Amino acid sequence: MTDLIPLPDISEAALHQMYTYRLGRIRAAMAEQKASVAVLFSPVSMRYAANFDEYQLFQSHIPTTMMIVPIEGPVTVFGASQRHHPNIDIYQPSRMATPFDGGLDFTGSCQTIVEDIEQTLRQNNLSGAGFHIALERTSPILSRLLLEKGYSLIDGEALVESARMIKSPTEIQCLRHTVNVAQYGMDKMREYLRPGLTELQVWSILHQVNIAHGGDWIDGRMLASGPRTNPWLQEATHRKIELGDTVAFDSDMVGPNGYLADISRTWICGGGTGSRSQREAYRHSYDEIHHNMSLLKPGVGFAELTERAFKRAEKYRDRRYVCAFHGVGLCDEYPKIYYPEDARHNNCPGELQENMVLSVESYSGAEGEPDGVKLEEMVLITATGFERLSTYPFEKELLI
C-alpha cells in the first residue's frame, strides 16, 4: 500500500460551486443550440452535470442509468442507487433499455423514456415549437420513436463537449491534484523499474496509486518497452523489460474527482545516455512539444495551430502520433487538433480561450529503428499564454 499525497485544499462549498458552474455551462449550451431538454447516458456527461459517479465503466457499456436535464426545472436521474448527488432533484427507477436489463426487445422501455421526456417538457412548459431534444448516443429505437412523434433531435454528446471546454477555478484545482497524483505514481513506477519486471508489473503501480487516492480508471494500458515502443499504441504485456530498454508510457489516468492526467514520458531502464537512435528520437519529441507549447495563447485558431505546428523530420513523419493537441478535462475532450498531414480531419472550428486545458503530444519512432519516444505535456491556457500543469522532469541525459 502506497503512502498518500495530501488532498487539495478545496472546500465542499467550492466543489458545489463547481457543480453549479458545470450544470450552468450545459444549460448555456442548450440555450445556444435551442435545446429544451438534454437526455444523457454517457457516464462522463452525467458526472459533469451532477457529479454522478456510480458504476461508470459499467454504465459505459450497459447504460442502465439515464439523466434528463431540462433547460429550466428539476433534473431527473433514472436508475441511481444513491441519493446524495448534487444538482439532481428527482430520483426514478431505471427504464431498463438495454438487452442486459430488459431483454432483446426493449421497444417498450424506449417508449417509456419517450413518455418521461414528454412529461418533462409538459411540466416545465418547454414544448414550444422551434426547440430540440439533445440526445446522447443510445438505441436507434429511442431516436426513431421521438422522430415519429415529431420531435427535432440534436446531438447531446456534442452539446456537452462544447460546455466542458472552459474550466472553472475549482476544476483547475482538481486537474492539478490529479496531475500531482499521476506524477507521484510515475515516481513510484520509476523507483520500481528494473530489469526482469514485466511491462504490466510496472504499469500496475500507476493504477494502484490512482485507486488509493480515490481515482477512477485508466483509459488504456499504454506502457511499452524495447522494440514494442515502435510503432506506438502497443499496450502493456507480460514482456520482461531488459537493461537499456526504452520504456515509454502515456498515463491516460482518470483520477480523483473524475479529472484526467494525460502525461507521457520515456525512460531508459537503468538510466544512462542510451543509444544514438534513442537520443535522436527523444530530442525530436522534446523539441516538438516545446515548439508547439510556444504557440499557445488565447485567440490562436485551431487551424492556425495545425499550420504552425512543429515541422517533423521526414523519418519520423509516417509514424506520427494521432494528433498534435487535444482538450483535457474529465477525459480526453474537444478539440482534437491534427498534424498538417492529417488536416483533412480537422473539423474543429474555434480558437484557444483562457481556462482551456490541452495536452501537447509527440511520438517519434522511425521505421526500421528499434525504439520510439512518447512525450506529452498538459497545459492551462492563461490570459497571456500558457502554464504547464505537468511538471515531471525530462531526461537530461538523453538531451546531450
Side-chain angles (χ1 to χ4, degrees):
M1 181 67 174
T2 187
D3 296 330
L4 300 180
I5 65 172
L7 291 171
D9 186 18
I10 304 175
S11 68
E12 285 297 318
L15 286 172
H16 279 273
Q17 287 175 355
M18 179 180 76
Y19 306 144
T20 300
Y21 168 86
R22 296 191 318 202
L23 181 59
R25 290 279 302 176
I26 290 176
R27 283 175 160 158
M30 291 171 67
E32 184 176 347
Q33 299 184 40
K34 297 187 182 305
S36 53
V37 295
V39 185
L40 308 180
F41 296 93
S42 161
V44 177
S45 296
M46 292 192 290
R47 183 90 193 245
Y48 187 76
N51 202 43
F52 185 82
D53 59 353
E54 295 182 13
Y55 295 92
Q56 294 175 87
L57 292 184
F58 187 91
Q59 175 72 15
S60 70
H61 62 97
I62 302 180
T64 296
T65 305
M66 174 184 69
M67 188 179 296
I68 297 182
V69 179
I71 192 168
E72 296 178 1
V75 175
T76 304
V77 68
F78 299 81
S81 298
Q82 306 298 316
R83 297 292 186 270
H84 63 271
H85 304 288
N87 298 337
I88 296 177
D89 304 291
I90 301 171
Y91 291 87
Q92 296 283 9
S94 174
R95 294 317 187 205
M96 303 298 187
T98 72
F100 178 79
D101 293 312
L104 297 180
D105 182 3
F106 38 95
T107 304
S109 298
C110 287
Q111 181 59 54
T112 301
I113 293 173
V114 171
E115 293 167 4
D116 293 327
I117 294 169
E118 291 185 312
Q119 182 178 23
T120 299
L121 293 170
R122 286 194 304 271
Q123 289 180 342
N124 296 289
N125 298 314
L126 298 173
S127 55
F131 282 82
H132 313 291
I133 294 171
L135 184 64
E136 287 198 313
R137 276 182 278 185
T138 183
S139 168
I141 296 172
L142 178 56
S143 300
R144 175 176 57 79
L145 292 174
L146 287 167
L147 290 170
E148 287 175 354
K149 286 269 191 174
Y151 293 108
S152 172
L153 305 182
I154 63 172
D155 193 294
E157 186 176 5
L159 185 148
V160 177
E161 283 274 343
S162 68
R164 283 161 45 192
M165 279 199 301
I166 309 300
K167 309 302 188 284
S168 72
T170 304
E171 286 187 278
I172 294 166
Q173 283 184 275
C174 290
L175 282 158
R176 291 186 196 276
H177 179 56
T178 294
V179 166
N180 289 340
V181 170
Q183 293 184 155
Y184 178 69
M186 290 157 62
D187 275 336
K188 294 298 181 183
M189 290 166 64
R190 187 155 198 170
E191 289 174 16
Y192 193 64
L193 175 63
R194 60 183 181 272
L197 293 177
T198 69
E199 295 168 348
L200 285 167
Q201 284 177 302
V202 176
W203 186 236
S204 70
I205 297 167
L206 186 62
H207 285 262
Q208 195 274 333
V209 169
N210 186 35
I211 298 304
H213 286 82
D216 290 335
W217 70 82
I218 294 179
D219 272 340
R221 301 185 303 180
M222 293 310 307
L223 182 145
S225 64
R228 299 190 64 256
T229 60
N230 188 12
W232 189 237
L233 297 176
Q234 301 186 62
E235 294 188 89
T237 68
H238 293 290
R239 179 187 184 272
K240 290 185 177 180
I241 299 169
E242 301 176 9
L243 185 68
D245 272 351
T246 301
V247 178
F249 64 90
D250 186 339
S251 64
D252 282 330
M253 190 190 91
V254 181
N257 296 299
Y259 282 94
L260 181 72
D262 199 10
I263 308 164
S264 298
R265 289 294 185 267
T266 297
W267 302 324
I268 303 295
C269 180
T273 59
S275 67
R276 179 178 176 180
S277 66
Q278 286 172 321
R279 292 193 300 273
E280 286 181 350
Y282 197 95
R283 168 58 74 176
H284 189 267
S285 280
Y286 179 89
D287 289 347
E288 177 175 17
I289 61 172
H290 283 80
H291 170 88
N292 286 349
M293 284 193 294
S294 74
L295 306 176
L296 301 176
K297 61 182 179 180
V300 176
F302 300 157
E304 183 181 352
L305 288 175
T306 291
E307 293 166 4
R308 296 175 59 196
F310 182 75
K311 306 306 178 189
R312 311 190 88 240
E314 182 66 34
K315 72 174 184 175
Y316 297 122
R317 200 163 293 163
D318 287 347
R319 292 188 174 180
R320 62 191 172 272
Y321 194 61
V322 296
C323 64
F325 311 85
H326 65 79
V328 176
L330 292 180
C331 60
D332 285 353
E333 293 182 355
Y334 180 95
K336 184 176 183 180
I337 301 169
Y338 293 86
Y339 286 104
E341 295 90 342
D342 305 310
R344 66 189 181 281
H345 299 305
N346 270 339
N347 294 316
C348 298
E351 62 183 31
L352 297 179
Q353 301 175 57
E354 185 178 0
N355 293 330
M356 289 179 64
V357 176
L358 298 178
S359 276
V360 184
E361 299 266 13
S362 179
Y363 171 75
S364 298
E367 188 172 357
E369 293 188 358
D371 302 289
V373 168
K374 181 70 169 62
L375 298 177
E376 179 183 14
E377 288 283 72
M378 271 178 63
V379 302
L380 168 69
I381 304 302
T382 66
T384 57
F386 72 94
E387 176 195 345
R388 285 176 58 196
L389 295 179
S390 49
T391 58
Y392 203 86
F394 293 98
E395 303 302 291
K396 293 181 180 179
E397 291 181 301
L398 295 176
L399 292 170
I400 61 174

